[in-house]
Amino acid sequence: MAVRESLGGATVVVGCGGIGSAIIAKLADQGVPLVAADIDYACAEASVANLHTEALAHRVDVTDEASVAALIAQAHAAFGVVTRLVYTAGIIHTGNFLELSPHQWRRTFEINLTGAFCSIQATARHLIENNQPGRMVVVASVAGRGPRADSSDYAASKAGLISLVRSAAASLAAANIQVNAVCPGIVDTPMTHSIHRERAARRGISVEESLAGLADTIPLGRIESPQEVAEAIWFLLSDAASYITGQALNVCGGLAFD
Ligand SMILES: NC(=O)c1ccc[n+]([C@@H]2O[C@H](COP(=O)([O-])OP(=O)(O)OC[C@H]3O[C@@H](n4cnc5c(N)ncnc54)[C@H](O)[C@@H]3O)[C@@H](O)[C@H]2O)c1
């Protein structure tokens, strides 16, 4: 059977923080037209500044399905059919399990999981309407592989995201739409620094001490760069991954093995 040709069309990246900006830069290097979307418009704008590709910034709130639908419509109008989606939007906070409020639990799920569901569903509907194949990659986490005593809402949302990817992949394979996840470990981004500010304050140590303690627990001995996550996302978006769907790829320096 022939391997299908490279996907044309537009790529939408949802979430333009540390990992989002790195995959946007990678896509731009490959000349892929893209829309960079974030609830923080300034962040989206900064991620596409000075790129050597066709790129637009867009404000999206992934907790609002109309906002997600408008994003796909805008990308289609600007660059043609949206054949690739990267979902990196996410939040985390840390704290005692007994003090975690249902409000915070729901908020984490809304952004980390329901937002991904709405984005995958909207993109899949769009692809099927336009009779095109597509590839989607969501950023889950090794936190979805096991327990997290001080961020149970986050770990549960990421476990749900891995499950969502499997179900979406099974459901959409017949339409030639592939859905995969990457599971980073500890990445050098604003999110990691904010967690370590909270942890360091609770433990009475410096942020640097908190981060150094963490690096010692990683078999490869260091925190990963956003670019290392972006390379794995790019692989799953590319024709090199033409026969991979429904998988969650750990990109974590050996922090997790299943
Ligand atoms: N940093 C890490 O160590 C790490 C490890 C594993 C997984 N991850 C996951 O990778 C993804 C990206 O993480 P990052 O480190 O780049 O974080 P980041 O905080 O730098 O970026 C996350 C982005 O999501 C956006 N966002 C939040 N709420 C939104 C909403 N309602 N609508 C649209 N956008 C919204 C934020 O504005 C932000 O730009 C997250 O899903 C995170 O859980 C990160």
Side-chain angles (χ1 to χ4, degrees):
M1 186 190 293
V3 174
R4 69 167 179 247
E5 291 178 11
S6 287
L7 301 176
T11 296
V12 168
V13 179
V14 181
C16 305
I19 294 172
S21 294
I23 184 62
I24 287 164
K26 177 74 188 180
L27 289 161
D29 280 351
Q30 303 291 327
V32 175
L34 64 94
V35 175
D38 200 291
I39 196 164
D40 178 351
Y41 182 72
C43 176
E45 244 187 342
S47 73
V48 298
N50 310 315
L51 294 183
H52 302 295
T53 193
E54 295 179 288
L56 274 184
H58 185 94
R59 185 185 179 279
V60 69
D61 180 355
V62 298
T63 67
D64 173 3
E65 58 191 274
S67 177
V68 173
L71 164 63
I72 301 300
Q74 155 116 44
H76 186 193
F79 301 127
V81 177
V82 177
T83 55
R84 298 181 184 89
L85 171 78
V86 180
Y87 189 90
T88 85
I91 57 168
I92 189 170
H93 75 109
T94 61
N96 188 309
F97 177 78
L98 297 174
E99 286 158 19
L100 175 63
S101 71
H103 171 76
Q104 182 62 54
W105 175 276
R106 288 190 200 103
R107 180 89 189 132
T108 302
F109 267 70
E110 274 291 300
I111 295 169
N112 294 7
L113 184 54
T114 311
F117 160 71
C118 292
S119 302
I120 292 169
Q121 188 188 57
T123 308
R125 286 176 173 164
H126 167 78
L127 284 165
I128 290 165
E129 269 166 30
N130 288 283
N131 197 25
Q132 291 282 320
R135 295 194 183 116
M136 307 188 216
V137 179
V138 304
V139 182
S141 170
V142 293
R145 306 287 200 184
R148 287 293 182 275
D150 69 353
S151 46
S152 52
D153 52 336
Y154 181 79
S157 72
K158 295 297 186 179
L161 195 48
I162 294 168
S163 174
L164 167 65
V165 159
R166 291 174 177 155
S167 297
S171 169
L172 299 170
N176 217 357
I177 297 170
Q178 295 163 250
V179 188
N180 289 293
V182 293
C183 296
I186 298 147
V187 194
D188 189 6
T189 72
M191 177 182 275
T192 296
H193 286 264
S194 82
I195 300 166
H196 283 272
R197 274 194 297 278
E198 291 171 21
R199 284 192 181 146
R202 273 204 308 278
R203 294 167 58 200
I205 59 175
S206 70
V207 175
E208 291 69 29
E209 284 170 321
S210 181
L211 282 167
L214 205 60
D216 288 343
T217 67
I218 303 170
L220 282 183
R222 62 179 175 82
I223 290 172
E224 65 191 295
S225 71
Q227 289 73 24
E228 288 172 307
V229 184
E231 289 297 332
I233 297 172
W234 170 253
F235 162 67
L236 290 170
L237 291 174
S238 74
D239 282 352
S242 59
Y243 205 59
I244 300 176
T245 197
Q247 305 303 308
L249 175 64
N250 290 344
V251 187
C252 65
L255 206 52
F257 292 95
D258 53 21

